[in-house]
Amino acid sequence: MIFKVEFRLEWSDTPSGELEMARVVWEEREKFAIAMKKKNKEWWGLRVIWTGLRQWKDEEIKADMDACMRVKERYPDLISGYDLEGEEKLGRTLEDLIPICLWFKQQCASRNLNIPFFLHAGECLGNGDVNDHNLYDAILLGTRRIGHGYSLPRHPLLENICKERQIMIESCPLSDGSMRLTNPANAHTFPMLLAKSVSASLNCGDPFLLGQEMIGVSMEFFMCIWSWDSIDLGGLGHLAQNSVRWSQFEDQTDEDWQLGIRSGEDSKKGLKARRMREWKKDWEEFCAWVVERYGEPWGNEDAFKATLKERAELIEQDVADEDAIEKELDRIAARYKEKDESLREWKDKEIKRRKLITRAKELMAEEKLQENMSKGLKKPPDSPDKTPKMVLKKLPKS
């Protein structure tokens, strides 16, 4: 999430800054958590990877990193890591940014902050060029995950290092296709990583730009099972489990991070282990439903009817939610309209007032001109700032 934007609060023309933006995100997260709890729905929360852009200058990146640390101090459970992204062939290399990244790590250590790197790298077609070398530098900087990693299969040594250090690859096939790194999707390097036992997951890259804001990562999973015959339902489950295993639900040291990945649901401490056990339970229930519904020869008829009833209830709930949203939007629109009318009325009054003042100054200047001409002066003196009462009396009534 990029925080370096001109974020403004409602009805404000002044940028509010990163701290205010973080406060709004934190408050909305808490409100949503309360709403989910009231509906008895499970929600695992939200954390943010602070993101800067590689094409920025050193001063801009340092200022962005400093803002990240200040927000982390204020909202420690909101910020989970730091990333530098941007099209690699158009931005700066990680090698060029190493001094700034090391400065950031030193500052975090001095402030007792835990902000690990989750860096983009290998989002390119190069083979040994400067952009392709970002993979080396990302690993050297201690990244816990690598965003995209499309060119990683060209580097067997780096693949082994990723396996040894348990660095997961956040693969984004649809985004890579939109970047013209691969076309069609079945030519993507993602299956190569899986074949070599490199840990990977499916992710959305720029979901809003690709129109995936409503369906999220579902399209990635659909494209995966549609394009590659080597991945079945069990393979999709493994990819989903990796997303949980490599998630940073809470701040962890490098040692705890590695231990949590190795132990998984078998660990007796930590939020990640509990989440993995919850996921495993849901996954087993889902698999049981698939077998019951679609098992040989035609599945369970009662289960099929129950599924139809459940879907009908979900549709009714969706319709009710849409109605509630429409009512809320109507209420907001009415409030905006009322505010707009009040603002328009104030503007009209302000325009009339300014016209009166301008006309008063014109009359005053004209009166002074006539007075000076009667005294034989060639040009009038400067008009005073204040309008005399005698001139205001001559103004036309509005």
Side-chain angles (χ1 to χ4, degrees):
M1 181 174 181
I2 298 177
F3 277 79
K4 193 177 180 181
V5 294
E6 291 190 355
F7 174 76
R8 292 177 173 85
L9 294 174
E10 189 178 15
W11 307 112
S12 174
D13 293 331
T14 305
S16 302
E18 295 88 350
L19 277 174
E20 190 66 15
M21 183 177 178
R23 180 190 64 81
V24 172
V25 174
W26 186 88
E27 288 183 354
E28 291 300 319
R29 183 191 68 175
E30 298 305 307
K31 291 177 184 177
F32 189 79
I34 294 172
M36 289 294 101
K37 188 175 182 180
K38 288 181 178 179
K39 295 180 180 180
N40 292 322
K41 291 185 177 181
E42 189 177 30
W43 188 60
W44 284 359
L46 176 141
R47 301 193 79 194
V48 174
I49 295 178
W50 190 292
T51 305
L53 297 180
R54 293 182 180 179
Q55 61 262 36
W56 289 343
K57 297 179 181 179
D58 288 354
E59 296 76 13
E60 294 177 301
I61 295 178
K62 279 192 174 183
D64 186 65
M65 288 177 168
D66 185 67
C68 173
M69 289 184 282
R70 285 189 280 109
V71 172
K72 178 69 174 180
E73 290 172 337
R74 181 73 65 86
Y75 305 100
D77 64 332
L78 180 63
I79 305 300
S80 65
Y82 190 86
D83 183 18
L84 286 164
E85 69 169 18
E87 193 170 350
E88 292 185 77
K89 65 180 180 180
L90 300 179
R92 302 167 62 184
T93 63
L94 283 179
E95 181 182 6
D96 186 34
L97 297 171
I98 282 179
I100 302 176
C101 293
L102 294 179
W103 172 85
F104 177 68
K105 296 181 77 170
Q106 292 172 354
Q107 290 294 312
C108 288
S110 64
R111 298 190 188 189
N112 196 26
L113 298 174
N114 187 346
I115 311 178
F117 284 126
F118 297 91
L119 297 172
H120 277 63
E123 189 183 2
C124 61
L125 291 173
N127 189 1
D129 59 10
V130 292
N131 296 317
D132 193 34
H133 286 172
N134 285 333
L135 286 168
Y136 291 86
D137 296 313
I139 294 173
L140 291 174
L141 286 169
T143 185
R144 294 185 175 181
R145 302 195 300 254
I146 293 178
H148 290 271
Y150 179 81
S151 63
L152 182 63
R154 301 189 183 100
H155 304 278
L157 175 62
L158 296 185
E159 288 180 326
N160 291 331
I161 294 176
C162 286
K163 289 190 286 186
E164 292 172 1
R165 301 187 182 183
Q166 300 185 114
I167 300 173
M168 190 189 71
I169 309 303
E170 304 168 351
S171 187
C172 310
L174 285 180
S175 176
D176 292 339
S178 68
M179 295 288 292
R180 299 296 187 266
L181 298 180
T182 177
N183 191 22
N186 55 11
H188 198 275
T189 59
F190 181 62
M192 303 180 194
L193 297 175
L194 300 181
K196 297 178 183 179
S197 300
V198 178
S199 299
S201 66
L202 286 172
N203 306 268
C204 292
D206 304 316
F208 285 94
L209 296 179
L210 298 177
Q212 295 174 253
E213 63 272 15
M214 297 302 294
I215 58 176
V217 77
S218 299
M219 183 60 72
E220 303 281 352
F221 278 87
F222 172 77
M223 191 215 65
C224 177
I225 200 169
W226 181 267
S227 302
W228 304 310
D229 295 335
S230 59
I231 299 179
D232 55 8
L233 183 61
L236 295 183
H238 178 71
L239 295 175
Q241 187 187 52
N242 281 350
S243 296
V244 182
R245 187 184 295 269
W246 268 268
S247 291
Q248 180 145 309
F249 296 102
E250 56 187 348
D251 290 344
Q252 291 180 303
T253 63
D254 291 337
E255 293 76 13
D256 290 340
W257 172 263
Q258 294 288 334
L259 180 61
I261 293 173
R262 286 194 301 270
S263 302
E265 69 270 13
D266 296 330
S267 177
K268 296 182 180 179
K269 64 176 183 178
L271 184 57
K272 179 182 294 185
R274 188 164 81 243
R275 296 302 188 208
M276 290 198 67
R277 287 192 290 269
E278 293 172 0
W279 181 89
K280 184 178 180 180
K281 178 177 177 294
D282 292 341
W283 173 252
E284 290 176 349
E285 291 177 355
F286 170 73
C287 290
W289 173 84
V290 171
V291 172
E292 184 179 18
R293 169 64 185 87
Y294 298 100
E296 295 292 343
W298 303 109
N300 189 308
E301 187 67 22
D302 294 335
F304 178 67
K305 291 180 180 179
T307 302
L308 291 180
K309 182 179 179 181
E310 181 181 351
R311 289 182 178 177
E313 292 175 352
L314 289 175
I315 292 174
E316 291 179 0
Q317 182 62 39
D318 290 341
V319 172
D321 292 341
E322 289 178 1
D323 292 340
I325 291 173
E326 288 182 2
K327 290 180 180 179
E328 179 66 15
L329 290 176
D330 292 340
R331 187 185 67 81
I332 294 174
R335 184 159 58 91
Y336 270 94
K337 185 178 180 181
E338 182 181 351
K339 291 278 187 181
D340 188 54
E341 291 176 353
S342 300
L343 183 61
R344 191 181 299 111
E345 182 180 352
W346 176 83
K347 285 183 177 179
D348 292 340
K349 291 182 179 179
E350 183 67 14
I351 291 173
K352 288 182 180 180
R353 187 182 71 83
R354 293 186 180 184
K355 285 182 178 180
L356 287 174
I357 293 175
T358 302
R359 181 57 180 159
K361 290 184 178 181
E362 290 175 355
L363 289 174
M364 180 181 60
E366 184 179 348
E367 184 177 323
K368 285 291 182 182
L369 177 61
Q370 293 177 357
E371 182 181 348
N372 292 335
M373 290 179 65
S374 64
K375 294 180 180 180
L377 297 177
K378 293 184 178 180
K379 62 179 182 178
D382 295 336
S383 300
D385 294 334
K386 297 184 179 179
T387 305
K389 294 182 179 179
M390 59 178 292
V391 178
L392 289 175
K393 291 180 180 179
K394 297 181 181 181
L395 291 175
K397 295 183 179 180
S398 58

